[in-house]
């Protein structure tokens, strides 16, 4: 069984479009994350939710809007896509968020290419 | 702020030992993770150090010196499948304060 799953795996779209990426975890974890990994392989946190509530919102354009319908799901909606949004987006989850030793488990990634 | 430094690339021979260093400067620190990421795949957990010293786990060991802001990952008896990027990630007070370095791309050659 897949622990953290994301759909779609690949996403190719035109500039200006709106797209969503979905993430689900079946680990029973309370905390979920979205990361962006650019072409230089730098993995940067974007958002984190704990029990459907936002706990991190890094300096990310407001074209990016996360939504957590329940604690097992964290979706990412992107409006007005730009060329610079092309990257791999990873979803992750952890048991909680308050302890530094919580291991994060990553999904397979969504490869977004904006043309 | 966060500043994490690790070599960009390393090459080692199958069967050998390799040490990947990481230095960090963080505004808050509680422990340090190492993750492995194969090309085109997700990062996976390797180790977590909170106390100074060496933690051994099979062929992989990780070392931490909190006073020096320094860690290393030691890989023994290298195998071809160990070719991957290794990400150093210091953690602050909570798991949400995990910051990843740019990673060290390790190539294992025959």
């Amino acid at each position: 069984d897949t622990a953290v799953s994301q759909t779609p795996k690949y996403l190719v779209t035109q500039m200006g479009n709106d797209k969503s990426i979905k993430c689900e975890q079946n680990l029973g974890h309370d905390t979920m994350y979205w990361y962006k990994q650019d072409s230089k392989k730098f993995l940067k946190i974007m958002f984190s939710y704990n029990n459907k509530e936002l706990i991190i919102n890094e300096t990310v354009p407001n074209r990016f809007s996360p939504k957590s319908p329940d604690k097992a799901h964290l979706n990412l909606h992107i409006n007005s896509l730009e060329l610079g949004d092309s990257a791999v987006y990873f979803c992750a989850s952890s048991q909680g968020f308050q302890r530094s030793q919580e291991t994060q488990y990553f999904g397979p990634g969504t490869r977004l290419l904006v043309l | 702020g966060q500043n994490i430094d690790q070599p960009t690339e390393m090459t080692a021979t199958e069967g050998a030992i390799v040490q990947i260093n990481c230095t960090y400067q963080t505004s808050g620190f509680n422990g340090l993770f190492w993750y492995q990421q194969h090309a085109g795949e997700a990062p996976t957990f390797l180790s977590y150090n909170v106390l100074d010293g060496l933690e051994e786990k099979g062929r992989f060991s990780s070392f931490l010196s909190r006073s020096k802001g320094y860690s290393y990952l030691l890989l023994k008896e290298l195998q071809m499948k160990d070719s991957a990027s290794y990400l150093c990630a210091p953690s602050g007070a909570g798991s949400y304060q995990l910051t990843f370095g740019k990673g060290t791309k390790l190539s294992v050659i025959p």
Side-chain angles (χ1 to χ4, degrees):
Chain A
D1 284 342
T2 304
V4 183
S5 59
Q6 297 178 227
T7 54
K9 191 170 183 179
Y10 298 95
L11 185 54
V12 182
T13 188
Q14 301 284 337
M15 269 176 55
N17 284 350
D18 303 338
K19 291 293 179 186
S20 291
I21 308 171
K22 296 185 177 183
C23 178
E24 176 181 2
Q25 54 93 6
N26 62 7
L27 298 167
H29 287 169
D30 288 339
T31 308
M32 295 184 72
Y33 311 80
W34 276 110
Y35 286 87
K36 178 181 180 180
Q37 189 170 44
D38 59 25
S39 57
K40 296 181 180 177
K41 307 302 181 187
F42 203 5
L43 193 64
K44 295 183 75 171
I45 183 76
M46 299 174 69
F47 301 101
S48 178
Y49 272 70
N50 185 68
N51 271 323
K52 302 192 296 176
E53 291 194 12
L54 182 68
I55 55 171
I56 299 177
N57 183 352
E58 291 295 309
T59 309
V60 175
N62 57 15
R63 297 182 295 105
F64 290 78
S65 52
K67 284 191 172 45
S68 183
D70 54 62
K71 73 174 191 177
H73 296 84
L74 182 62
N75 303 324
L76 184 64
H77 188 75
I78 316 170
N79 288 327
S80 304
L81 277 156
E82 300 178 356
L83 295 177
D85 297 333
S86 296
V88 182
Y89 292 84
F90 286 102
C91 177
S93 73
S94 64
Q95 184 66 52
F97 73 98
Q98 292 181 314
R99 299 187 311 158
S100 64
Q101 67 264 41
E102 296 284 4
T103 299
Q104 294 185 20
Y105 297 85
F106 285 79
T110 295
R111 286 137 191 87
L112 171 65
L113 178 61
V114 182
L115 303 174
Chain B
Q2 315 277 0
N3 188 23
I4 303 164
D5 191 34
Q6 48 181 134
T8 304
E9 293 186 43
M10 297 182 73
T11 301
T13 306
E14 195 175 11
I17 299 173
V18 71
Q19 178 174 313
I20 302 174
N21 295 324
C22 171
T23 58
Y24 60 89
Q25 293 173 313
T26 58
S27 54
F29 178 82
N30 273 284
L32 189 139
F33 287 87
W34 282 95
Y35 277 77
Q36 180 191 57
Q37 186 177 24
H38 285 99
E41 296 184 12
T44 55
F45 169 78
L46 283 180
S47 68
Y48 177 72
N49 291 65
V50 62
L51 300 175
D52 283 357
L54 189 68
E55 297 265 350
E56 296 188 66
K57 193 188 289 186
R59 294 189 299 115
F60 291 9
S61 303
S62 54
F63 172 85
L64 176 67
S65 169
R66 297 173 71 103
S67 61
K68 295 181 180 177
Y70 168 67
S71 175
Y72 67 74
L73 181 69
L74 193 70
L75 293 78
K76 302 176 188 175
E77 301 168 20
L78 279 172
Q79 301 175 9
M80 300 299 288
K81 68 178 182 179
D82 297 330
S83 294
S85 287
Y86 291 86
L87 309 176
C88 169
S91 177
S95 63
Y96 61 96
Q97 295 178 345
L98 194 64
T99 304
F100 285 89
K102 291 187 179 182
T104 298
K105 184 178 178 183
L106 174 66
S107 299
V108 180
I109 58 175

